[in-house]
Amino acid sequence: MRLFLPFSLGAVLCFLGLAAQGLPDPQSLLAASRAAYQNLKSFEAVMTFAITFADLPEEVRQTWKMFFSFPFARVEYAEEEMMFLPRPVLEITDYQEGRIWILYTTEEWEEVHDEALKSSGLWLSFFPQLELEELGPLSVESGEISGQPAWVIRGGKAFYSLFSMEIELWLEKETLFVRRWVGKSPGFTLSFTVESFKTGVELAPDLFLPPPAERVVRRFVVHPQGREIMRAVWDRLSSLKTFIVHKRITRDSHREEKILFYRHPYLRVETWTPKSPVFPGQLLDVAVFDFRTGFVYSHDVVDGTWEKEELFFIGASAEDTLRFALVEAFNIWGPVAQVVEIKEENLRGRKVWHLAARGEPRPDAPNREWWLDQETFAVLRYVEPLEICEPDGKCRWEKELVDIIGFEMDVEIADELFSVPPDVPLRRWEFPEEPVEEEPQGPRAELVGWEPFSFARLEEAKAQGKIVVLYFSADWCEPCHALEAGPLQDPRVQGLLDPLVRLKVDLTFPRGEAKKVADLYKVRAFPTLLFLDPAGQELGRVTGYTSTAALLQRITEILGGEK
């Protein structure tokens, strides 16, 4: 049971003595701030989280309320501000029992039992100044926030997802409580702002009541041994300077192989057709990530073309680029994972741990899985859950099975593998002009007879010797809405398309199979109608909004005698 200690007199005297001499020592200031929080028995706070991207004009914001009365905490998230659903709207934590209950927007409850929650002071993780305790060097200066005098601490380092960030922290001088925390990384900035903070409040016990047992649809027990195993795996991988990974990927009927070459500041990813004793593998494409310049260079081996895209961040450290490469290689995001299942199995004649960890914070998200060698902690296999969303908005989860068939550590990698041609053109998404006013606009019309795209369905159509038309669109694409409400509803257009296999590729969020097929056929603008012969070769395409008459003429030209 956690004891509430009196305010640390030694820390206060040390802090006051340093402050009297001028600016306080940053670590002593943080220690005094920690002591101030440890003395609290209850509080009520409103906090705002924001993330701003360098290349986007608007920031993403999330506000939540937190109520604390040891050993309980309650967090209420502002549901109307959530961008991605389903997501948590309420969390209730019992630190004494090591349990947390999570309510999602689907009105489903989830319960997690994690002994680590019992650790003294863990609730203070809501105040990120603790992350700076061991991550100097730090500097401090006098400042002001919301009209109140504050100490501003700069120079620490913390991690958010894959990226390290330089930290700025504002502590209110009078109370030493955190008022604002900012993490800056190339490409984006995170901030936590404490809008209000009331201490010593009386909170109704009903605020912290867990849900009835029958309302909990999913329960997890986090295994401490799993946390230790994942830490050992991370310790083994995080010291690498270079590596080469060869892996085989299987999802439904789709198979491919990838070879990754990592050496800071580069990562090269090659995609191959599967190798077999009869057929050698064929190199399909190459991606070279250059973290110095902030570009990823894509090479289509079949047609010999190159193009580049801007990366999310630029000038990343070796630590950052290694984290990125390890996610690409093994789907391992760091040393911490909530492992909820451990089995001992045999794989390829080796004793392995089969670990399952909680997936995304959603009630329907599958677990992530790894098969780890018990002697070397090497990753031999993993499963990555992928969310596939259909044009009608319905989404489903599929699992991608990845076998590691080769892994070389700290090997020499030739510079030539990371070289790219000069003056590679920059890929940009193009947005067609708005349709002419006389054409119908309005709500999105239903496209009868169109199926959601999948590579499996495409292969089926090719096996049947049928012509395929792929329709690339996105929910936010107004010209797409207009094309669907007007020309694609015309009986003459439908008559031309009816004999074809019609597949709709939804690129509202470019990912998964939709992004792969768009990259495969180099679709860069919406809407696009792409016609393929039974061998999968392009017959022609119609890009952008076009009138009914022009669409009829163009389809007739493309199909010609093929139809």
Side-chain angles (χ1 to χ4, degrees):
M1 183 173 180
R2 179 173 175 268
L3 299 176
F4 285 95
L5 303 176
F7 196 84
S8 173
L9 181 60
V12 173
L13 292 176
C14 176
F15 163 66
L16 291 176
L18 287 167
Q21 302 172 24
L23 295 176
D25 171 69
Q27 294 294 354
S28 299
L29 191 58
L30 290 172
S33 178
R34 178 190 287 270
Y37 278 113
Q38 291 282 3
N39 196 48
L40 294 177
K41 295 184 178 180
S42 66
F43 65 80
E44 178 180 332
V46 177
M47 306 181 193
T48 299
F49 164 81
I51 179 169
T52 304
F53 297 95
D55 55 350
L56 295 177
E58 297 183 0
E59 65 179 14
V60 178
R61 297 175 63 87
Q62 170 74 69
T63 300
W64 66 81
K65 296 180 181 179
M66 182 179 181
F67 307 87
F68 177 79
S69 179
F70 187 82
F72 303 106
R74 176 187 177 99
V75 180
E76 300 175 355
Y77 297 95
E79 181 177 351
E80 68 276 4
E81 298 179 14
M82 294 182 179
M83 291 186 61
F84 306 106
L85 299 175
R87 282 293 184 262
V89 294
L90 173 64
E91 295 179 4
I92 298 173
T93 305
D94 183 338
Y95 289 101
Q96 201 163 23
E97 292 292 327
R99 296 182 186 274
I100 180 170
W101 293 268
I102 306 167
L103 176 65
Y104 291 90
T105 48
T106 56
E107 300 184 354
E108 297 174 298
W109 283 90
E110 180 178 86
E111 179 183 346
V112 180
H113 184 193
D114 188 351
E115 290 291 316
L117 289 171
K118 298 180 180 180
S119 300
S120 176
L122 186 65
W123 61 273
L124 288 175
S125 61
F126 281 95
F127 301 94
Q129 91 280 3
L130 300 182
E131 301 295 329
L132 300 181
E133 285 289 351
E134 301 176 358
L135 294 173
L138 305 174
S139 65
V140 63
E141 62 186 62
S142 186
E144 184 179 290
I145 184 168
S146 300
Q148 299 296 321
W151 296 114
V152 184
I153 301 175
R154 292 188 173 90
K157 192 176 183 182
F159 279 95
Y160 176 80
S161 185
L162 299 178
F163 311 103
S164 63
M165 300 177 295
E166 295 296 322
I167 304 302
E168 297 180 354
L169 180 71
W170 280 261
L171 301 179
E172 195 174 69
K173 283 188 177 181
E174 182 179 356
T175 64
L176 297 186
F177 293 148
V178 176
R179 293 299 305 275
R180 184 170 170 82
W181 177 99
V182 177
K184 297 181 178 180
S185 183
F188 70 98
T189 299
L190 299 179
S191 68
F192 293 87
T193 303
V194 181
E195 308 291 350
S196 66
F197 191 71
K198 301 176 183 178
T199 62
V201 294
E202 293 291 332
L203 299 173
D206 290 353
L207 278 175
F208 308 107
L209 288 178
E214 61 272 14
R215 294 203 51 198
V216 179
V217 299
R218 198 162 71 157
R219 290 178 171 86
F220 293 107
V221 177
V222 178
H223 292 265
Q225 182 191 5
R227 185 176 278 116
E228 294 172 3
I229 292 172
M230 292 303 294
R231 166 61 71 177
V233 172
W234 182 256
D235 289 344
R236 177 177 185 264
L237 296 174
S238 60
S239 61
L240 294 177
K241 302 300 181 184
T242 67
F243 67 74
I244 302 174
V245 171
H246 186 181
K247 57 186 185 177
R248 181 181 297 119
I249 302 167
T250 304
R251 179 157 61 92
D252 293 334
S253 60
H254 178 69
R255 293 184 180 182
E256 65 184 19
E257 294 185 9
K258 287 184 182 290
I259 304 178
L260 289 74
F261 304 83
Y262 169 74
R263 190 191 72 198
H264 177 75
Y266 304 105
L267 173 67
R268 176 187 173 99
V269 181
E270 298 178 352
T271 303
W272 293 73
T273 59
K275 298 178 176 65
S276 72
V278 180
F279 298 103
Q282 178 183 357
L283 181 61
L284 298 176
D285 60 66
V286 176
V288 178
F289 295 80
D290 184 342
F291 299 100
R292 293 173 312 140
T293 59
F295 289 105
V296 54
Y297 296 82
S298 300
H299 175 42
D300 188 315
V301 177
V302 176
D303 62 17
T305 59
W306 283 86
E307 57 185 357
K308 65 183 179 183
E309 289 182 88
E310 294 177 336
L311 277 172
F312 189 67
F313 56 105
I314 183 174
S317 66
E319 193 173 16
D320 290 341
T321 61
L322 178 59
R323 280 178 171 252
F324 183 94
L326 292 176
V327 171
E328 291 291 313
F330 305 113
N331 197 32
I332 293 180
W333 291 72
V336 179
Q338 287 187 311
V339 176
V340 297
E341 187 176 356
I342 303 177
K343 298 178 183 178
E344 292 195 15
E345 299 177 358
N346 287 294
L347 179 65
R348 305 176 204 152
R350 300 157 81 173
K351 292 183 178 180
V352 299
W353 287 298
H354 178 188
L355 270 55
R358 284 185 69 203
E360 294 189 29
R362 296 172 51 170
D364 60 338
N367 293 332
R368 295 176 292 154
E369 301 176 61
W370 297 270
W371 284 257
L372 310 169
D373 188 290
Q374 292 188 10
E375 291 186 5
T376 65
F377 295 100
V379 181
L380 303 182
R381 172 185 289 172
Y382 68 86
V383 166
E384 180 179 1
L386 299 174
E387 188 178 24
I388 309 298
C389 294
E390 310 293 358
D392 59 5
K394 295 181 180 179
C395 298
R396 70 183 189 281
W397 289 94
E398 293 185 0
K399 291 186 176 182
E400 191 170 77
L401 178 66
V402 182
D403 281 294
I404 307 300
I405 55 181
F407 181 34
E408 301 176 66
M409 300 184 295
D410 290 328
V411 294
E412 292 291 331
I413 301 178
D415 292 342
E416 290 75 14
L417 282 174
F418 306 114
S419 63
V420 298
D423 303 322
V424 173
L426 180 65
R427 174 197 296 185
R428 296 187 183 277
W429 290 101
E430 301 172 8
F431 302 96
E433 297 180 0
E434 296 293 330
V436 292
E437 294 185 0
E438 62 266 25
E439 296 291 348
Q441 299 191 44
R444 192 158 195 176
E446 181 181 0
L447 291 180
V448 179
W450 290 81
E451 306 172 55
F453 173 82
S454 70
F455 279 106
R457 184 66 182 97
L458 179 60
E459 291 300 319
E460 180 183 347
K462 289 162 64 177
Q464 295 170 347
K466 294 185 177 181
I467 296 176
V468 176
V469 56
L470 304 180
Y471 175 49
F472 295 84
S473 67
D475 286 349
W476 40 260
C477 169
E478 289 298 331
C480 301
H481 297 187
L483 189 69
E484 295 163 18
L488 289 181
Q489 299 294 337
D490 188 278
R492 294 168 294 173
V493 173
Q494 293 178 347
L496 290 175
L497 298 180
D498 279 347
L500 282 56
V501 174
R502 289 155 286 166
L503 303 179
K504 188 173 182 181
V505 184
D506 183 9
L507 286 161
T508 302
F509 300 101
R511 59 189 177 190
E513 291 189 318
K515 185 178 185 302
K516 285 184 178 180
V517 73
D519 288 342
L520 179 63
Y521 290 105
K522 294 182 172 50
V523 175
R524 302 288 180 259
F526 308 137
T528 290
L529 288 163
L530 179 69
F531 295 83
L532 305 176
D533 68 14
Q537 299 299 312
E538 180 177 342
L539 294 171
R541 67 178 69 193
V542 181
T543 299
Y545 179 86
T546 186
S547 67
T548 302
L551 183 61
L552 282 168
Q553 180 180 350
R554 182 66 182 127
I555 294 175
T556 302
E557 292 173 353
I558 292 172
L559 296 179
E562 295 288 340
K563 187 173 76 71

